[in-house]
Amino acid sequence: MLTVSAAFCVTAALVALQLDASFPDGFVDRSSQNLSSVPEDLPQAAEFVDLSHNHIQQLCRGDFKHTYLLRSLNMSSNILEEIDPQTFLDTPNLEELDLSYNKLKNLSNQRYLLHTENLRVLNLTSNQFLSMALGSEFSSLVNLESLALGAKNICMNDFQSITAVKLHTLSLHLEDYLNYEAGSLKLVKAKKLQIAFTSHPRMHYDLLDDALLVFAELELMNLPDDLSDIVQLLGDKAEIHTSHLQVTNVTVTWEDMTEYANVLMNTSITHFSVFQVTLTTSPNEDTETVKTTQVKSLTASQVGTTSPFGSQTAMCNFFINMPVESITVTKTPMLHMTCPKSQSPLLHLDFSFCALTDFIFSRVESQKIVECENLGNLRTLNLHSNNLRSLGSISKRLRLMMSLKDLDLSLNSLVYDGLKNCEWPPNITNLILSSNGLTGSVFNCLPAGTETLDLENNKISVLPLSIMKLSNLLSLNLNQNRLRDLPGCNGFPYLNTLFLRFNSLSAPSVNKLENCSELKTLDVGFNPYTCTCDLRSFISLGIKAEKKKSHSGIELLGWPADYHCTYPEVDRDTTLNVISIPEIYCNTGLLAATILGPSVALLILIVSLCHYWDVPWYLKMIGQWTRAKHRARRGEVRPEDMVGTEFHAFVSYSQHDANWVHNSLLPNLEGPAGGLRICHHERHFVPGKTIIENIITCVEKCRRSVFVLSAHFVKSEWCHYELYFASHQHLTRGSDSVVLVLLEPLPQYLIPSKYNQLKSMMSRHTYLEWPHDRAKHRLFWANLRAALQCDLPEAAATELQE
């Protein structure tokens, strides 16, 4: 019975541990704490409570009043003698209850069960029940699926209370010296019966006979070494309703086991399983098997031997030559499996978790490897978790299995070096190669008709440019490899589903999917995405897929929860759907247009505004004013050079421009407005002297000469003389002694040839232009005054002040 209780405990523990990860506050472990009563501090959120291996003697009403959410309670291995009928009044969600290994005495008085109508699993084994008579309260357990019991006596009507309860599994712990009344189990409505024998078992013929008549599935646990009674019963019984027979934890000789197996093959049982089998002897030669049987499947798990001698080939021959449709041998240290001696009816073979090598099914004759020819009907082969190493060699071992469709070679050490051609059977459609050491070269060693291909957890970093064409491939699993970009569909024209989770894709190239016209499902979650410009197209694909607007119709599995940035650091762990990378950052042409466009527009605007406001003129005037000030500071005239200088400037102009001179020029240069002393011929020419003499005298008395240029100026003879004398002064006093004021535009072609000096001055010196815009007049006068400003000798300055 230890096995039954252990199964209940392990199941409960596994469920609790799994749920503990999801609900850390819901699992409470108070086992092995020397408790004498139920703790009062159980949290309200408790769903799974373990109080096993304590010293609790009774359960009282209110013990679980605060644990309304309780779903599983383990009270095994205490000293329970009494349970109050109202104990579980406050736990309506209770589904699993383990009361095994206690001191309860009466199965007909378990009134607490009246408040456990949602119970699914109940374990009452290893108590002190004398009779299996179940009380009426058991009839309330309408949701019960698994019931484990144990008593010394089982009588005809003991199970009357559960006739309406449709159990999945009834487990019976057979006490020593059990008294069983034939026919007692016929009232039980259960699919499966588990019978666990004690450490000193005694076979109960009537119990086993009823079990084979009532239950579709029967499991016999902890069988005695002598199985002759069971074998005799199976051989003699004409009517057996059991279709699935399972034997767990048995020690037997090879000779007895094969005899029992051959007897079983002649019964109506269709599925036979053995678990935890220990063989005390091993065969030295082949053992004959029956030729025909109704058994469809044979399962053997955890088969071991204590005998170091014998032939493993003989063992393999016994199993592989059985006339069944399905054989499963798992978790068994088997190094080799032979080929059937004749064409086998086998459709399914499962040799997972063994130690098989690349020479499986083959034999050596005359130093040549002979492949197996007698598994031509095999459709499914599972070689998961063995010691297979060469994919090319395995393809040769299987090449004659013409009906093989489903092949599992996962969790081995398979590699493919590309040196040998692969020779697969022609009808393989589903191939599992996950958890091996395969690289991209594997795509040149695959069955041509493959429809579903699983290459998860390998070492594939890139798909070769030239690969074999898999025209039938619909689903490809490349999760947990080393791919750095999408593989595309070269060679897979009809690929429908592609898995690429946990690879090294940082910026998948969406254009690689252009040749995937049939692709509908894509999973690229949990990759190290770099959220830069290269990822924009992939983010766009995900957003369109989420909104179902993608023209390709691709569904992106796990979007957006499984897609996060790893770089840049500021965006780490941010889902891609909220990342915004503007196109302007990524499109050089658009970026240039965005920058240059406004710049050019701004430049045009500035030029237009400058033209509108005549800014160049202002700049020119300011420049002239600045240069004039600079010359004035730099070129200080020595006092001796200013001897005889009485005026700041002599004004030369045409009589046609006299109004401008009198009304504008002189008022802005002289008096308070300008503070300059101007020599004007109307005021300062001395009567009696010739005009030439007055011109020369005035020019010599002035620091500078101002010429008001216009079309009339170049036509005046006297203006020509004044310009001539001023130019001579220009040679002696420097380039700043002549100031030209352009009253109106004066093209070069209008200047007579005799005014060569004027042309030369206009080409070499900056001149001031009279602006017609009144807003510019103030700046004009400031420039002109700055050009004429200088310090006159003291006498002239005094006269100016007066």
Side-chain angles (χ1 to χ4, degrees):
M1 186 56 204
L2 289 173
T3 306
V4 175
S5 300
F8 273 86
C9 293
V10 169
T11 302
L14 288 175
V15 171
L17 287 173
Q18 291 173 355
L19 292 170
D20 182 33
S22 303
F23 309 99
D25 297 329
F27 181 71
V28 179
D29 186 2
R30 299 288 179 87
S31 62
S32 304
Q33 294 188 6
N34 203 30
L35 300 174
S36 60
S37 62
V38 176
E40 297 181 358
D41 60 345
L42 292 176
Q44 293 183 359
E47 295 184 44
F48 304 90
V49 176
D50 187 353
L51 297 174
S52 62
H53 300 279
N54 283 291
H55 301 286
I56 301 174
Q57 189 171 4
Q58 63 179 354
L59 296 179
C60 305
R61 177 177 182 177
D63 281 348
F64 303 101
K65 62 182 177 180
H66 299 303
T67 56
Y68 184 82
L69 301 177
L70 185 65
R71 293 168 55 188
S72 176
L73 176 62
N74 186 356
M75 294 295 304
S76 64
S77 300
N78 277 276
I79 55 174
L80 283 174
E81 296 180 358
E82 181 180 356
I83 301 177
D84 190 282
Q86 306 296 319
T87 296
F88 301 110
L89 187 64
D90 302 312
T91 58
N93 299 314
L94 188 64
E95 296 179 352
E96 299 179 6
L97 179 60
D98 189 348
L99 297 171
S100 61
Y101 293 94
N102 281 284
K103 296 183 178 182
L104 300 175
K105 294 182 173 61
N106 191 355
L107 272 173
S108 61
N109 187 29
Q110 306 296 315
R111 307 292 294 174
Y112 56 89
L113 294 177
L114 292 172
H115 301 290
T116 60
E117 59 273 8
N118 288 318
L119 207 61
R120 294 188 302 107
V121 179
L122 176 61
N123 187 357
L124 288 167
T125 59
S126 300
N127 278 276
Q128 297 179 0
F129 302 129
L130 294 177
S131 172
M132 194 68 79
L134 304 181
S136 60
E137 57 271 16
F138 280 87
S139 64
S140 65
L141 305 179
V142 293
N143 295 307
L144 197 63
E145 298 175 4
S146 177
L147 175 61
L149 301 168
K152 293 183 179 297
N153 298 281
I154 302 178
C155 299
M156 181 65 69
N157 295 318
D158 285 351
F159 297 102
Q160 182 70 39
S161 297
I162 61 171
T163 54
V165 179
K166 296 182 179 180
L167 294 171
H168 180 275
T169 303
L170 174 65
S171 297
L172 296 180
H173 172 208
L174 299 189
E175 305 285 350
D176 293 338
Y177 309 109
L178 170 71
N179 294 315
Y180 177 79
E181 184 178 356
S184 298
L185 289 175
K186 293 182 180 181
L187 295 176
V188 179
K189 302 294 190 300
K191 181 179 180 181
K192 180 178 181 179
L193 175 65
Q194 283 183 332
I195 300 177
F197 295 89
T198 60
S199 56
H200 301 288
R202 181 172 62 86
M203 184 56 59
H204 300 277
Y205 188 93
D206 291 336
L207 172 64
L208 188 57
D209 185 62
D210 285 348
L212 291 171
L213 281 174
V214 174
F215 300 96
E217 298 180 19
L218 175 62
E219 180 179 0
L220 303 176
M221 307 171 70
N222 309 323
L223 285 173
D225 294 344
D226 184 5
L227 301 180
S228 57
D229 290 343
I230 299 177
V231 174
Q232 181 180 355
L233 175 63
L234 290 173
D236 297 342
K237 194 169 181 60
E239 185 179 5
I240 296 178
H241 290 171
T242 298
S243 60
H244 292 68
L245 177 61
Q246 178 177 329
V247 175
T248 301
N249 191 18
V250 60
T251 301
V252 66
T253 65
W254 172 259
E255 292 76 15
D256 288 344
M257 189 198 74
T258 53
E259 180 186 353
Y260 304 154
N262 284 328
V263 170
L264 183 69
M265 290 292 176
N266 291 315
T267 68
S268 61
I269 293 173
T270 56
H271 304 280
F272 179 54
S273 303
V274 290
F275 293 87
Q276 302 174 26
V277 178
T278 301
L279 296 174
T280 57
T281 62
S282 298
N284 293 315
E285 56 185 18
D286 289 349
T287 304
E288 290 295 325
T289 63
V290 296
K291 303 302 180 181
T292 60
T293 180
Q294 294 186 43
V295 176
K296 301 295 182 182
S297 68
L298 172 64
T299 299
S301 180
Q302 303 177 53
V303 179
T305 179
T306 59
S307 173
F309 307 104
S311 170
Q312 188 179 80
T313 299
M315 287 186 182
C316 293
N317 283 337
F318 179 78
F319 286 106
I320 200 67
N321 285 290
M322 284 188 174
V324 296
E325 294 181 356
S326 175
I327 293 179
T328 298
V329 179
T330 64
K331 300 179 182 178
T332 300
M334 180 171 58
L335 299 177
H336 183 65
M337 177 51 64
T338 58
C339 178
K341 295 180 179 179
S342 60
Q343 195 60 239
S344 173
L346 278 168
L347 301 178
H348 310 284
L349 275 180
D350 184 351
F351 295 133
S352 56
F353 297 100
C354 293
L356 297 171
T357 67
D358 293 351
F359 295 98
I360 182 173
F361 301 128
S362 65
R363 67 183 186 276
V364 177
E365 292 183 1
S366 302
Q367 298 184 344
K368 290 184 179 181
I369 297 177
V370 179
E371 310 299 352
C372 182
E373 300 178 351
N374 295 328
L375 288 171
N377 296 313
L378 192 66
R379 298 176 186 175
T380 303
L381 176 60
N382 186 353
L383 297 176
H384 172 84
S385 188
N386 277 275
N387 195 27
L388 308 178
R389 297 184 179 277
S390 171
L391 187 62
S393 297
I394 294 301
S395 71
K396 292 183 178 180
R397 300 294 93 82
L398 311 180
R399 65 186 179 88
L400 299 179
M401 301 179 186
M402 297 303 177
S403 300
L404 186 62
K405 291 185 176 181
D406 301 314
L407 176 61
D408 187 348
L409 299 175
S410 59
L411 201 60
N412 281 279
S413 302
L414 290 171
V415 296
Y416 177 65
D417 53 16
L419 300 178
K420 297 181 180 179
N421 292 328
C422 296
E423 304 178 37
W424 296 102
N427 294 313
I428 293 180
T429 56
N430 301 311
L431 178 59
I432 303 177
L433 292 171
S434 59
S435 300
N436 282 285
L438 299 167
T439 63
S441 62
V442 70
F443 285 93
N444 289 311
C445 179
L446 295 172
T450 305
E451 296 178 4
T452 302
L453 177 59
D454 186 350
L455 285 166
E456 182 173 349
N457 191 25
N458 277 280
K459 299 179 180 180
I460 301 171
S461 58
V462 64
L463 269 63
L465 294 177
S466 59
I467 60 176
M468 64 181 298
K469 188 173 183 180
L470 301 175
S471 300
N472 297 330
L473 189 64
L474 301 177
S475 176
L476 175 58
N477 185 353
L478 290 171
N479 290 341
Q480 299 185 58
N481 276 277
R482 304 175 182 180
L483 291 168
R484 297 190 176 186
D485 203 352
L486 297 175
C489 296
N490 291 329
F492 325 128
Y494 297 104
L495 188 66
N496 179 272
T497 304
L498 178 59
F499 299 97
L500 294 165
R501 295 165 73 89
F502 295 104
N503 274 272
S504 301
L505 282 76
S506 58
S509 303
V510 177
N511 60 347
K512 293 275 185 80
L513 301 177
E514 291 178 355
N515 59 350
C516 299
S517 58
E518 301 297 323
L519 188 64
K520 300 302 178 185
T521 304
L522 177 63
D523 190 348
V524 206
F526 298 104
N527 276 278
Y529 292 109
T530 301
C531 293
T532 57
C533 290
D534 293 337
L535 197 64
R536 286 188 74 251
S537 57
F538 181 76
I539 294 176
S540 176
L541 175 67
I543 294 174
K544 289 179 180 178
E546 183 179 14
K547 297 178 180 179
K548 297 183 179 179
K549 293 182 178 180
S550 175
H551 69 278
S552 61
I554 295 176
E555 177 188 3
L556 207 57
L557 296 183
W559 177 274
D562 299 343
Y563 298 77
H564 301 86
C565 287
T566 58
Y567 178 85
E569 192 65 31
V570 67
D571 293 323
R572 179 177 287 273
D573 297 329
T574 303
T575 54
L576 299 190
N577 65 320
V578 299
I579 293 295
S580 177
I581 307 175
E583 185 177 359
I584 190 173
Y585 293 169
C586 309
N587 190 324
T588 306
L590 181 59
L591 179 62
T594 304
I595 295 175
L596 295 178
S599 300
V600 171
L602 180 61
L603 181 61
I604 293 174
L605 178 61
I606 292 174
V607 170
S608 301
L609 291 175
C610 288
H611 178 73
Y612 180 79
W613 296 106
D614 210 358
V615 173
W617 184 89
Y618 283 100
L619 295 176
K620 179 179 179 182
M621 291 297 104
I622 293 172
Q624 290 176 349
W625 180 82
T626 303
R627 286 194 296 272
K629 287 291 186 182
H630 179 69
R631 286 196 301 269
R633 287 194 299 270
R634 186 183 62 184
E636 294 290 342
V637 182
R638 294 177 299 177
E640 56 268 25
D641 293 336
M642 296 294 290
V643 175
T645 302
E646 300 178 9
F647 302 95
H648 287 93
F650 168 72
V651 179
S652 174
Y653 59 94
S654 170
Q655 280 302 119
H656 291 85
D657 303 322
N659 288 337
W660 182 81
V661 173
H662 290 118
N663 297 328
S664 297
L665 180 66
L666 295 178
N668 281 283
L669 296 182
E670 295 182 322
L676 300 177
R677 205 168 172 221
I678 303 300
C679 179
H680 185 235
H681 71 274
E682 293 181 0
R683 293 183 304 194
H684 298 101
F685 274 18
V686 179
K689 288 187 176 182
T690 64
I691 294 176
I692 297 299
E693 289 177 331
N694 275 310
I695 290 173
I696 293 173
T697 300
C698 284
V699 170
E700 290 178 348
K701 290 181 178 182
C702 296
R703 176 68 180 90
R704 292 179 178 84
S705 297
V706 178
F707 293 93
V708 181
L709 304 180
S710 67
H712 300 292
F713 181 89
V714 297
K715 296 178 182 179
S716 171
E717 191 68 28
W718 295 114
C719 289
H720 178 255
Y721 284 124
E722 292 170 352
L723 181 63
Y724 174 77
F725 291 118
S727 63
H728 282 281
Q729 187 186 42
H730 167 75
L731 296 174
T732 58
R733 292 192 176 181
S735 61
D736 62 345
S737 63
V738 175
V739 178
L740 304 179
V741 176
L742 192 61
L743 192 59
E744 61 184 13
L746 187 62
Q748 292 281 329
Y749 66 86
L750 292 179
I751 303 175
S753 59
K754 64 180 180 179
Y755 278 91
N756 288 329
Q757 291 176 325
L758 177 60
K759 290 182 179 181
S760 176
M761 288 182 182
M762 291 181 70
S763 63
R764 288 186 288 109
H765 297 281
T766 303
Y767 50 83
L768 297 175
E769 297 183 51
W770 170 248
H772 294 287
D773 187 353
R774 293 182 61 86
K776 302 176 181 179
H777 288 177
R778 292 184 62 185
L779 185 56
F780 173 82
W781 296 123
N783 273 336
L784 184 56
R785 284 192 294 268
L788 300 178
Q789 188 67 48
C790 66
D791 294 329
L792 296 177
E794 185 175 349
T798 303
E799 184 178 347
L800 176 62
Q801 293 175 358
E802 293 175 353

